[in-house]
Amino acid sequence: MKPPVFDYVRAGGIEEALDVLAREGGDARVIAGGQTLMAMLNMRLVRPATLVDITRIPALQHIEERDGALVVGAGVRQADLLAWPGLSAYPLLAAALPWVGHTQTRNAGTVCGSIAHADPSAELPLVLVALGGEVHLRSRRRARRVKADDFFLGTMTTARDDDEMIEAVAFPKAGGGAAFREVARRHGDFAIVACAAVVRGGKARLAVGGVADRPVARDLDGDLDAALDAFAWDLEARDDIHATARYRRELVRRIGRQVVEAAGNEHGIDTPTSPVLSAPRGGEGRSVEISSPSPPLRAGEGRGEVGRHARHERRPISFSLNGKQITGDAEPRLLLSDFLRHTLGATGTHVGCEHGVCGACTVQIDGRPRRACLTLAVQAAGCDVRTVEGLGGGGRLGPLQQAFRDHFALQCGFCTAGILMSLDALFRERPDAGENEIKEMLAGHLCRCTGYASIMRAAMAAREEPDA
Ligand code: FES
Ligand code: FES
């Protein structure tokens, strides 16, 4: 599974990104964290002619409170929002974010990227709908704001036009009690059913994800059980490999009740029964046009880097690998995992699923564990990359490697390099990391033969005796 060929443009500013979208329309895709898009590319579910990388645009890196909402720029990674000191004022976001993928994918994936892809089981679109948030869109033609209820149109389908990019999303303050819960086969997987509730003034709004083709919210009225039952039946639930429609409806009743009660308790009231909160949906004001931010393109204008490169043309790449500066070149579609293994001969990084699930390819990029199979080699330019070859030294194992050896924490070793890179990053940042933090980090890795008990023992031992 490898991506198809495409051109790659690293946009230096918003206008440059918009130029490419204006020129290429639906043939171009914006990439930021790439944790969904890269998996889709690897599986060839999408075949864009051009990728526009907005990761390094400074104007998209903001997290700010504005007009009673938290406005999150398109370059903000999920991990950065989770670590933002003011997040506790947004309890629904704070509750849902740890359920979004794994630490390793949150280190790359962006908040707006999750909104843009509109997976019906994803947590952040659900939170946006529950809170009645807005998506800020921008193109060469206009800037506009679209209410969350109107933005999500169906499975991975949104109201974004081909020449528009998401510039930011706005999560309003709940203004009352809020609660989130989900059921998934494995922590970090997409939800089978997720529920988010907001209760204020004795009125409740419940949003449900994973059931219909988009997150759906309803203001609950009257008897709670009856309202939940009616909501569950009205959702267009579907059978799939993970669960039946009937099971999903039952989860809506049960988890829905739990989150409404939890949100009500947080708000200091018993189970709410009266009609609800939010502004009427639909009708006027579905999309608010803000301005016409940029003059329309004239012929030949705004090509950015597009057209300068053939799609197969190799690009120069330079980054630090385990402390040594390396230079090379690669086609834009070459994955970092393949560049490490096949171009640089750094075969300690393993490749399993190539869509971000197994964790075998995990490396550190600028100190954070990330999936090398969901990162383009060209995206690593200028970064500090660390692989398992960077542990230990002088022919000796590092303390973490030694602990794995001492505690029989590997058999075939296929998963081990990735696990070591995740744990090494954790212990560098949190030398006193507890059992739960270690488990949270290990949740992003699949080991098919050793089992996790000995891996946990090795991790705990390495934490307690960091360097022999
Ligand atoms: Fe990258 Fe499986 S997560 S190979
Ligand atoms: Fe074999 Fe983990 S040691 S997959």
Side-chain angles (χ1 to χ4, degrees):
M1 298 195 297
K2 303 293 174 193
V5 292
F6 49 74
D7 193 8
Y8 171 83
V9 179
R10 176 180 288 167
I14 294 173
E15 294 300 316
E16 188 180 354
L18 296 180
D19 286 347
V20 178
L21 293 176
R23 205 180 113 73
E24 306 241 332
D27 289 336
R29 292 292 289 258
V30 170
I31 185 168
Q35 299 304 282
T36 302
L37 182 57
M38 282 307 306
M40 293 171 73
L41 285 165
N42 286 354
M43 292 186 275
R44 302 206 175 192
L45 295 174
V46 289
R47 292 171 176 267
T50 303
L51 281 192
V52 191
D53 190 340
I54 61 168
T55 318
R56 302 193 191 187
I57 298 177
L60 297 177
Q61 306 295 335
H62 57 279
I63 302 173
E64 59 193 15
E65 294 183 282
R66 204 191 300 158
D67 302 328
L70 187 66
V71 180
V72 181
V76 175
R77 300 186 192 281
Q78 294 149 8
D80 292 331
L81 183 57
L82 193 51
W84 184 63
L87 191 64
S88 59
Y90 299 85
L92 204 50
L93 261 180
L97 267 169
W99 290 86
V100 179
H102 303 286
T103 303
Q104 296 85 350
T105 57
R106 291 195 296 270
N107 281 338
T110 60
V111 174
C112 291
S114 177
I115 301 297
H117 282 282
D119 190 302
S121 296
E123 293 82 3
L124 293 176
L126 172 68
V127 170
L128 196 68
V129 167
L131 293 172
E134 281 184 342
V135 181
H136 298 188
L137 294 163
R138 182 170 287 261
S139 70
R140 271 296 203 167
R141 296 175 291 121
R142 61 181 176 177
R144 62 181 179 129
R145 295 179 182 178
V146 181
K147 292 187 182 304
D149 280 345
D150 301 322
F151 184 73
F152 301 107
L153 301 182
T155 303
M156 308 194 97
T157 308
T158 70
R160 184 186 70 83
D161 288 338
D162 284 343
D163 65 342
E164 289 178 314
M165 63 175 270
I166 295 180
E167 193 176 26
V169 288
F171 296 94
K173 274 206 163 118
F180 172 91
R181 268 176 213 165
E182 82 171 40
V183 170
R185 284 172 64 87
R186 191 179 62 130
H187 179 76
D189 284 356
F190 281 113
I192 292 174
V193 170
C195 291
V198 176
V199 172
R200 59 184 168 199
K203 302 169 184 177
R205 176 177 169 93
L206 175 67
V208 174
V211 179
D213 65 351
R214 73 199 83 174
V216 180
R218 178 173 287 188
D219 301 337
L220 302 180
D221 194 4
D223 176 75
L224 181 59
D225 284 331
L228 286 168
D229 195 46
F231 190 13
W233 277 110
D234 288 347
L235 289 166
E236 290 177 18
R238 62 194 189 282
D239 294 336
D240 65 19
I241 192 171
H242 302 297
T244 62
R246 183 179 174 193
Y247 179 67
R248 285 191 159 93
R249 286 200 184 94
E250 186 57 25
L251 286 178
V252 171
R253 293 185 193 97
R254 292 185 184 217
I255 305 177
R257 170 170 265 285
Q258 288 173 10
V259 291
V260 169
E261 287 179 345
N265 290 339
E266 192 186 315
H267 196 39
I269 59 170
D270 292 333
T271 304
T273 53
S274 54
V276 186
L277 32 128
S278 64
R281 295 172 54 179
E284 291 179 6
R286 284 178 167 232
S287 162
V288 180
E289 196 143 330
I290 309 301
S291 64
S292 181
S294 311
L297 285 178
R298 292 194 297 270
E301 267 190 344
R303 292 173 62 87
E305 294 178 26
V306 175
R308 291 183 197 166
H309 302 286
R311 287 194 278 162
H312 282 292
E313 190 178 323
R314 299 166 79 88
R315 313 293 171 82
I317 299 172
S318 174
F319 59 81
S320 165
L321 177 63
N322 298 322
K324 290 187 185 149
Q325 200 62 29
I326 64 101
T327 55
D329 54 49
E331 274 187 61
R333 68 170 173 151
L334 189 69
L335 303 176
L336 178 60
S337 46
D338 289 335
F339 187 70
L340 291 170
R341 290 177 57 83
H342 304 306
T343 306
L344 302 179
T347 53
T349 298
H350 294 163
V351 173
C353 64
E354 291 192 317
H355 57 276
V357 174
C358 74
C361 67
T362 302
V363 299
Q364 292 172 12
I365 300 178
D366 293 336
R368 292 175 167 190
R370 285 177 43 180
R371 306 296 202 221
C373 74
L374 299 184
T375 306
L376 297 169
V378 289
Q379 289 181 297
C383 293
D384 180 15
V385 179
R386 227 167 144 245
T387 64
V388 70
E389 287 90 349
L391 300 181
R396 294 183 56 198
L397 299 178
L400 190 55
Q401 292 168 304
Q402 189 63 49
F404 267 60
R405 181 176 177 174
D406 293 345
H407 292 268
F408 307 103
L410 71 159
Q411 288 189 54
C412 75
F414 192 81
C415 67
T416 310
I419 291 176
L420 290 172
M421 298 319 292
S422 282
L423 291 177
D424 178 76
L426 175 64
F427 295 150
R428 280 169 183 267
E429 191 182 328
R430 295 285 314 275
D432 59 345
E435 202 173 316
N436 284 343
E437 288 164 283
I438 295 171
K439 285 180 180 171
E440 165 78 26
M441 196 56 101
L442 290 176
H445 294 272
L446 292 177
C447 175
R448 286 151 284 199
C449 55
T450 294
Y452 295 90
S454 53
I455 293 174
M456 273 302 295
R457 278 195 291 275
M460 296 297 285
R463 187 199 61 163
E464 284 154 17
E465 300 169 42
D467 212 338

